[in-house]
């Protein structure tokens, strides 16, 4: 999605990084991130299970999609496939959901670069898939950590 408003170019990115509350709070702290929402995503390939995600609206004139991906790598363990800390299962999968061919290319390059760096000691397990379905989580889940004055998902 691209929306043009008075010198602002709004784009959208969707990330699965384990607990969506923590990911949402972390992305909202970045300059250029205009809004976010948490929910559940499924790729267009029709996987049956939904993944916890944060969907981010950002001004691409202020922050790039590539910079968001760099931040994404720091929010979780991208070498872990279906587990983030104590959270286990498909819904906690490390995933980059792309909406455009350009996002797909940038995500693939970022993953290859991180793998080639060897800094993680293990291969990156993050899946890079086209966004199919997005289901918005209930309102009480939105900005959950902010509403509850917490800094982590273990509250």
């Amino acid at each position: 999605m691209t929306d043009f408003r008075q010198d602002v170019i709004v784009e959208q990115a969707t990330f699965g990084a384990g607990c969506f509350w923590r990911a949402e709070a972390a992305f909202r702290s970045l300059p250029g991130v205009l809004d976010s929402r948490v929910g559940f995503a499924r790729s267009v390939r029709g996987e049956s299970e939904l993944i916890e995600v944060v969907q981010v609206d950002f001004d691409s004139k202020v922050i790039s999609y590539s910079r968001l991906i760099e931040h994404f790598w720091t929010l979780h363990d991208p070498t872990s496939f279906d587990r983030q800390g104590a959270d286990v299962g498909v819904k906690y999968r490390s995933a980059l959901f792309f909406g455009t061919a350009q996002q797909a290319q940038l995500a693939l390059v970022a993953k290859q670069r991180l793998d080639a760096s060897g800094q993680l000691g293990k291969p990156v397990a993050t899946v890079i898939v086209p966004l199919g379905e997005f289901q918005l989580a209930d309102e009480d889940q939105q900005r959950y950590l902010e509403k509850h004055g917490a800094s982590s998902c273990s509250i």
Side-chain angles (χ1 to χ4, degrees):
M1 172 183 108
T2 302
D3 182 14
F4 298 94
R5 295 182 210 146
Q6 298 180 338
D7 223 23
V8 173
I9 299 176
V10 180
E11 294 187 43
Q12 194 171 79
T14 307
F15 301 96
C19 171
F20 56 23
W21 297 335
R22 183 173 176 271
E24 180 183 38
F27 277 110
R28 289 185 66 75
S29 72
L30 297 175
V33 170
L34 305 171
D35 200 6
S36 65
R37 67 208 60 78
V38 297
F40 305 91
R42 185 184 341 258
S43 87
V44 296
R45 295 185 184 139
E47 286 88 358
S48 61
E49 300 218 28
L50 294 169
I51 298 171
E52 280 196 17
V53 297
V54 59
Q55 199 166 68
V56 177
D57 296 336
F58 64 101
D59 180 350
S60 61
K61 291 177 81 174
V62 176
I63 189 167
S64 68
Y65 181 67
S66 293
R67 175 65 188 103
L68 292 173
I69 293 172
E70 289 172 22
H71 191 62
F72 164 75
W73 299 135
T74 70
L75 301 179
H76 71 304
D77 178 2
T79 68
S80 181
F81 190 60
D82 284 349
R83 177 187 194 123
Q84 293 300 317
D87 296 328
V88 179
V90 173
K91 73 188 249 179
Y92 302 108
R93 179 167 293 169
S94 176
L96 282 164
F97 290 91
F98 60 86
T100 67
Q102 180 183 21
Q103 283 185 349
Q105 183 61 33
L106 291 169
L108 288 169
V109 167
K111 181 179 177 180
Q112 291 167 349
R113 187 177 304 126
L114 184 59
D115 259 337
S117 76
Q119 73 186 54
L120 299 177
K122 296 189 280 187
V124 175
T126 303
V127 295
I128 299 172
V129 292
L131 179 62
E133 177 184 355
F134 174 79
Q135 294 177 7
L136 187 65
D138 295 337
E139 179 55 37
D140 61 322
Q141 302 297 316
Q142 307 303 321
R143 299 185 186 183
Y144 187 89
L145 296 180
E146 181 181 324
K147 290 175 186 175
H148 292 85
S151 61
S152 71
C153 292
S154 59
I155 59 172

